[in-house]
Amino acid sequence: KNEVEQSPQNLTAQEGEFITINCSYSVGISALHWLQQHPGGGIVSLFMLSSGKKKHGRLIATINIQEKHSSLHITASHPRDSAVYICAVRPFGNEKLTFGTGTRLTIIP
Amino acid sequence: DTEVTQTPKHLVMGMTNKKSLKCEQHMGHRAMYWYKQKAKKPPELMFVYSYEKLSINESVPSRFSPECPNSSLLNLHLHALQPEDSALYLCASSQRTTGVMNTEAFFGQGTRLTVV
């Protein structure tokens, strides 16, 4: 079992829909990252969370440390949001990020 | 400047070639990373440099040789690669704090490497 599990693996939605991507992890962490990767490669860091909730534009990320669970929400989704969204955690006492397998999001106009 | 710049963006090399990948950041970050990413897989950590010293080598074959000449630059020297080494190579950096690095990681756009 992976230390970081994401769901769903693939998600297709209509433009304007509210999107939720989930991330569960099994170890104690000092931080959780949500990353976005478009086709062609480059990774953009969306959020880094250690507690609570963060919002940036149409993106909202929440984390529940007790339940070892985080969600990434996208409001009013747009085709340009189509990308792979990756959850990554930094376990306590570890310099390395542990990555989830990603969620491939496709927004249809 | 919150960018991590990688060059080249694309590289095709033969199995007998020697080439280098370059990564640069000017955010004052003292931790820099090399990752390898195969298609439809998450990134895999290769190396971590902390204060210009190699702190993690994830059992990477010696045909990959990292170098950190100063706090802004990270190189990955490639020699005698195999076709299975073809992948996206990503560089990242983060602020280095005492103990665990729980700060945001900034990634470059990657170098797409094809070994023929």
Side-chain angles (χ1 to χ4, degrees), chain B residues 6-70:
Chain B
Q6 286 188 245
T7 54
K9 287 189 171 41
H10 300 273
L11 178 62
V12 179
M13 63 184 288
M15 289 189 283
T16 58
N17 291 161
K18 283 185 182 181
K19 298 285 185 185
S20 296
L21 310 185
K22 182 179 170 183
C23 174
E24 195 166 359
Q25 57 85 17
H26 296 286
M27 295 177 277
H29 290 171
R30 303 308 292 275
M32 296 185 76
Y33 311 76
W34 280 116
Y35 290 89
K36 173 183 176 180
Q37 187 179 27
K38 300 288 270 185
K40 299 191 178 181
K41 298 286 187 185
E44 298 173 17
L45 183 66
M46 300 174 74
F47 302 104
V48 179
Y49 270 83
S50 177
Y51 292 99
E52 297 87 70
K53 292 201 177 347
L54 184 65
S55 63
I56 294 179
N57 176 342
E58 289 287 290
S59 302
V60 179
S62 60
R63 58 185 184 268
F64 296 91
S65 175
E67 179 197 20
C68 190
N70 60 56

Side-chain angles (χ1 to χ4, degrees), chain B residues 71-110:
Chain B
S71 60
S72 299
L73 274 177
L74 184 66
N75 298 320
L76 186 63
H77 303 298
L78 313 172
H79 174 54
L81 294 193
Q82 303 296 312
E84 60 263 29
D85 296 321
S86 299
L88 181 70
Y89 288 84
L90 290 158
C91 174
S93 71
S94 63
Q95 190 81 16
R96 183 69 168 96
T97 59
T98 301
V100 177
M101 286 174 282
N102 59 348
T103 58
E104 189 170 4
F106 291 80
F107 286 81
Q109 290 293 309

